[in-house]
Amino acid sequence: MKTRSVNTRPYLDQKPGTAGLRRKVRIFQQPRYLENFLQCIFDCGGQFAGETLIAGGDGRFHNQEALQTLIRVSAGNGVGRLIVGRNGLLSTPAASHLIRQRAAAGGFLLTASHNPGGPDGDFGVKFNTASGGQAPESLTRSIYDATQSIERYLEADLAPVDLGRLGETDAAGMIVEVIDPVIDYANLMETLFDFDRIEALFAGGFSARYDAMHAVTGPYAAEILNRRLGAPADWLLNGQPLPDFGGGHPDPNPVDAADLVALINGPVPVDFAAASDGDGDRNMILGPGLVVSPGDSLAILAANARQIPGFEEGISGVARSMPTSRAIDEVARRLGVPCFETPTGWRYFCNLLDDGRIDLCGEESFGTSSNHVREKDGLWAVLFWLNLIAVRGQSVNEIVEDHWREFGRNAFNREDFFIPDAELGSQLMAELENSVPELDGRPVDGLRITAADVFAYHDPVDGSVSAQQGVRIFFDDGSRIVYRLSGTGTTGATLRIYLERRVTETDLLIRPAVELNAPLSTIARKLSRIRELTGIEQPAAVV
Ligand code: G1P
Ligand code: ZN
């Protein structure tokens, strides 16, 4: 074993965001960059000597090299056992499950989620703690501080370990255990859902497609949907994980998964379609002519939870990220359970899940999950919907429309403005925050602002406070506009504007959200002064 004590620059340029450290592949390829970051995790994350850790990634470009680096640094730091998914693959929810199942001290998830892969794409590293959840803000802050002064890293002198073969290898005193990445996760799903009902649905003339977007969920879907539930092979699309995701952008949204949307709206009758992102934690649910809004999906899952074996006893509470539509609030109110509003980023749900305060949670960015892991979970959401369709005997569209009729609809969509100059983006946000005190009571385009604030979160479990999590503006007709800057981009700044209108009129219920929110969009642009400040006229994306 060798301890390197060399000039360890480059140091980290920017703080890691809510989803770990995400940078261009070329930045990660710099000598010692990843070693430094990993060492800082070892120095700050706890006592890992002799312990078990989990490791795996979404299969993107640089995954294999990064895993070999991780093996050397882990062995150098005296880790007892490193459990790695075969070929370096582990979906994010499967990794979270393994950490918990194997009582590991933590896990490394090599992923940049839905960001493009390949030599010119992005790479990322997330560290999850023993709970299976993402490192808390206090830990990521101390890891970042450590990166600014690190002077040495520890690594074992090791030949690359073969990650294609199941079994154990001794790596300088550390056991590298290569496991099947799918089995444990698939077994967990079988305990939560009624596989017999879903199998019967599949055998009974129902037709579905699942798009793995050439990312990590391909092997998971093949095992669960095809092998265990009997789905025909051609229901699984893009099932082979590829280092560049086949040149696509592995993000399950109507823009990046346009082919799937076209397919379900095309001539071949398909009842249900779904997709997941690069690391398998996001989900998109489609019915013919319908993209289920993630906020609606969360609300519908909560309202129907008791019909699923995993939730037969009901749920104790729910949570959504602040920008996510308030459809779930309405369900929670009727169920008589608490509904928590957290900042953007999955990790804020983890304390609530660990403390038993919530069982279901979700974000507008196509992320939904429950207490079965400490990450969002794409395939879990797909199986939940399939289970629901099977027990209710209704189509996706019928389930959604029934929900709207019963609870009302929170028509929701988001506009992303890409501002190449990151500084300008921060300035725009600062001006918006400063304008908040003057907004109260102000009339605008026929509506009146009833409240506005800069969202701050007080964690009820550990008492920590997260300030400046976005600007919220509420209107007298129940509408809401939210602004925040993205924390996951690797260049420039992205201003996200979230629009939400409360709709109860029957004739409006099925109109497209973008259409229903057009007046709010005009107001949102006006209040942010985006055109005056940046010259930008149009959003880069509307989802
Ligand atoms: C985005 C999503 C957020 C999600 C995160 C990681 O972050 O908005 O909900 O938790 O990706 O998947 P953002 O770029 O908005 O900071
Ligand atoms: Zn993801």
Side-chain angles (χ1 to χ4, degrees):
M1 197 259 281
K2 253 193 204 151
T3 304
R4 317 257 177 197
S5 183
V6 285
N7 175 357
T8 49
R9 282 184 172 78
Y11 296 155
L12 271 194
D13 45 349
Q14 281 170 283
K15 282 191 206 294
T18 49
L21 177 65
R22 216 178 269 185
R23 296 286 183 274
K24 292 278 167 218
V25 164
R26 298 202 191 289
I27 293 189
F28 272 99
Q29 285 172 326
Q30 298 171 95
R32 303 182 295 275
Y33 185 86
L34 179 58
E35 286 86 339
N36 281 347
F37 185 62
L38 294 175
Q39 185 63 50
C40 292
I41 296 173
F42 279 105
D43 289 342
C44 303
Q47 289 302 321
F48 298 138
E51 294 285 343
T52 296
L53 292 173
I54 308 292
D58 59 17
R60 68 178 56 230
F61 186 82
H62 202 56
N63 196 34
Q64 299 298 336
E65 293 81 349
L67 272 171
Q68 296 297 341
T69 303
L70 175 62
I71 290 171
R72 288 195 303 275
V73 176
S74 301
N77 280 278
V79 170
R81 177 178 291 261
L82 190 68
I83 300 174
V84 190
R86 186 177 44 218
N87 296 323
L89 294 181
L90 274 182
S91 79
T92 288
S96 180
H97 173 54
L98 275 171
I99 294 171
R100 297 158 63 77
Q101 189 190 25
R102 301 289 300 260
F108 292 90
L109 285 65
L110 307 183
T111 172
S113 188
H114 51 285
N115 292 20
D120 299 319
D122 292 337
F123 192 74
V125 178
K126 271 192 343 187
F127 178 72
N128 284 25
T129 61
S131 71
Q134 296 169 20
E137 215 173 325
S138 53
L139 177 54
T140 53
R141 215 176 299 130
S142 61
I143 292 170
Y144 171 72
D145 290 343
T147 65
Q148 302 302 293
S149 56
I150 182 171
E151 283 174 351
R152 60 92 184 86
Y153 61 85
L154 308 176
E155 75 172 353
D157 228 347
L158 274 174
V161 174
D162 180 1
L163 299 179
R165 206 164 36 88
L166 297 181
E168 299 187 351
T169 312
D170 185 321
M174 176 181 82
I175 304 288
V176 176
E177 181 185 345
V178 178
I179 58 157
D180 182 302
V182 173
I183 298 298
D184 297 292
Y185 176 82
N187 292 345
L188 173 66
M189 292 302 113
E190 231 174 314
T191 66
L192 301 174
F193 300 110
D194 191 336
F195 272 37
D196 292 339
R197 295 290 286 265
I198 302 175
E199 196 176 350
L201 173 77
F202 285 3
F206 182 79
S207 167
R209 297 290 183 279
Y210 176 78
D211 189 347
M213 304 189 89
H214 284 306
V216 76
T217 56
Y220 293 85
E223 171 67 23
I224 297 170
L225 299 178
N226 299 124
R227 275 190 284 282
R228 298 199 185 188
L229 293 167
D234 64 356
W235 285 15
L236 173 54
L237 309 173
N238 304 316
Q240 172 75 24
L242 295 174
D244 67 346
F245 306 119
H249 191 162
D251 196 3
N253 65 59
V255 177
D256 295 303
D259 290 353
L260 190 68
V261 177
L263 191 146
I264 196 158
N265 296 334
V268 181
V270 176
D271 300 301
F272 173 92
S276 284
D277 71 330
D279 61 328
D281 57 358
R282 295 186 173 196
N283 75 89
M284 179 177 68
I285 305 293
L286 304 172
L290 176 74
V291 178
V292 182
S293 171
D296 284 337
S297 177
L298 177 62
I300 290 166
L301 300 190
N304 291 282
R306 276 181 175 269
Q307 306 191 41
I308 302 301
F311 288 118
E312 259 163 16
E313 314 276 296
I315 48 178
S316 59
V318 294
R320 62 165 170 82
S321 70
M322 181 275 277
T324 302
S325 96
R326 294 160 295 166
I328 181 86
D329 302 37
E330 192 58 31
V331 174
R333 204 175 54 77
R334 296 209 202 167
L335 292 176
V337 300
C339 175
F340 296 86
E341 182 175 34
T342 59
T344 295
W346 200 262
R347 65 181 171 196
Y348 294 100
F349 294 133
C350 292
N351 272 350
L352 300 170
L353 289 164
D354 286 343
D355 205 46
R357 295 185 188 224
I358 61 166
D359 296 312
L360 277 175
C361 46
E363 297 192 281
E364 57 76 36
S365 51
F366 296 86
T368 329
S369 196
S370 83
N371 56 6
H372 68 290
V373 286
R374 292 295 178 270
E375 289 278 4
K376 54 199 173 208
D377 191 345
L379 261 171
W380 169 89
V382 173
L383 291 166
F384 200 138
W385 268 96
L386 288 168
N387 200 153
L388 212 53
I389 291 166
V391 291
R392 288 185 57 136
Q394 282 183 304
S395 70
V396 180
N397 302 45
E398 286 164 347
I399 293 174
V400 171
E401 285 164 26
D402 269 8
H403 186 88
W404 288 343
R405 271 190 292 273
E406 192 178 342
F407 293 90
R409 176 181 177 199
N410 289 58
F412 181 91
N413 78 293
R414 192 184 84 209
E415 299 181 350
D416 290 342
F417 287 83
F418 180 68
I419 307 169
D421 177 358
E423 198 48 45
L424 193 55
S426 309
Q427 199 184 318
L428 182 145
M429 200 62 211
E431 292 201 13
L432 252 171
E433 289 177 358
N434 291 336
S435 74
V436 157
E438 293 137 38
L439 291 176
D440 222 340
R442 190 166 134 188
V444 44
D445 291 5
L447 298 181
R448 200 173 57 80
I449 298 175
T450 52
D453 69 359
V454 182
F455 180 64
Y457 178 62
H458 299 255
D459 188 312
V461 181
D462 66 16
S464 62
V465 178
S466 305
Q468 289 183 291
Q469 297 294 326
V471 167
R472 305 188 292 184
I473 304 178
F474 301 91
F475 296 86
D476 55 354
D477 70 339
S479 297
R480 185 186 69 160
I481 295 173
V482 169
Y483 303 88
R484 58 177 284 280
L485 290 179
S486 158
T488 57
T490 50
T491 54
T494 297
L495 174 71
R496 301 203 195 278
I497 303 183
Y498 308 84
L499 309 169
E500 180 186 357
R501 171 172 163 189
R502 179 92 185 131
V503 180
T504 44
E505 305 88 329
T506 329
D507 53 327
L508 291 184
L509 278 182
I510 59 165
R511 295 252 301 270
V514 175
E515 207 177 295
L516 290 165
N517 288 338
L520 271 185
S521 164
T522 308
I523 295 175
R525 293 181 200 193
K526 213 181 271 183
L527 293 176
S528 66
R529 299 178 55 236
I530 179 129
R531 190 154 52 85
E532 291 90 316
L533 293 174
T534 67
I536 298 168
E537 303 265 355
Q538 290 303 326
V542 178
V543 285

